[in-house]
Amino acid sequence: SDSDSDADGCPLGWISMPDGDKCVQVNTEELSWLEAQANCETLGGNLVSIASGDENTFLYEQMVAASPEFNSMWAGYTDVEEEGIWVWTDGRTRTYTNWWTDEPNNGDGIEHCMLMRGPARTAGGHGKWNDHACDGTDDRVGVSMCQMVVTDIDPGDDADADADAD
C-alpha cells in the first residue's frame, strides 16, 4: 500500500523515539545551528530536544549509525537570548543535561548553541554536550537532528486511504 508514514506513526525517513512521542531525523548537510533550526522548522519541527540519559544514548547511536565520521551534531538547546539561561527550541522545560567537562564555557563569549560530541572526537566525551558558536560550520560541527512531535504530524493521505477501504 502507498503510505506516507511508517507503522510507528513517523513520516518515511524519520525514526521513532523509544517513548513513541517524537520522530527524529539526522540531516548530514553541513549547516550552522541557525540554518539547522530553520531547516527543522520547514519540516514541521525543531532541532531535537533531549529529556533523559536514555534519549541521549539513543540519539547518539543514531548519529553514529548515520556516520562514524561525525565530530558533532546540533541539538535544540540555546542560551542566545540570555547568557547562562538555556532553553529548548520546542519550548518544553527539561531538567536533564549532559555537559562535557567544564562546559558550557561560552568560549570567546560567543558560544550559545549546543552540540553533541560525536564519535570522531579524539578527545572523547562522546555523546556529551558542548556549547559552540551558533554560526559555526567548521569541521567540528555540521550534522543536525530534527524532531517532530507525533501529535503534530499530519496524517495526510493515510486518513483518506482508511476512509476508502470499505
Side-chain angles (χ1 to χ4, degrees):
S1 67
D2 293 333
S3 173
D4 291 338
S5 66
D6 296 326
D8 58 17
C10 291
L12 293 177
W14 292 69
I15 301 157
S16 180
M17 290 288 287
D19 63 10
D21 78 338
K22 287 191 304 201
C23 303
V24 294
Q25 181 184 64
V26 176
N27 178 5
T28 59
E29 189 181 356
E30 192 168 291
L31 301 172
S32 71
W33 187 93
L34 297 164
E35 291 167 334
Q37 172 63 19
N39 173 62
C40 293
E41 288 175 11
T42 65
L43 297 173
N46 286 283
L47 280 169
V48 74
S49 59
I50 306 170
S52 68
D54 288 347
E55 281 196 7
N56 198 83
T57 299
F58 178 83
L59 297 169
Y60 178 77
E61 288 168 354
Q62 300 310 310
M63 173 172 39
V64 173
S67 172
E69 308 294 311
F70 292 150
N71 251 322
S72 305
M73 180 176 73
W74 291 123
Y77 209 32
T78 179
D79 73 343
V80 71
E81 294 294 326
E82 186 178 349
E83 175 56 32
I85 308 296
W86 287 84
V87 297
W88 292 103
T89 55
D90 66 2
R92 293 191 184 178
T93 304
R94 296 185 172 78
T95 54
Y96 174 78
T97 59
N98 193 33
W99 295 108
W100 177 232
T101 310
D102 300 326
E103 301 289 344
N105 61 9
N106 194 25
D108 298 326
I110 59 164
E111 295 187 340
H112 305 301
C113 292
M114 188 268 271
L115 57 80
M116 181 185 287
R117 296 170 64 87
R121 288 277 181 143
T122 54
H126 303 149
K128 294 285 189 180
W129 305 354
N130 265 68
D131 55 344
H132 192 72
C134 301
D135 59 359
T137 52
D138 55 33
D139 66 344
R140 300 169 69 84
V141 205
V143 300
S144 53
M145 185 172 290
C146 296
Q147 72 176 21
M148 194 186 294
V149 178
V150 172
T151 54
D152 294 343
I153 297 168
D154 180 355
D157 295 335
D158 293 342
D160 299 334
D162 293 340
D164 296 337
D166 12 39

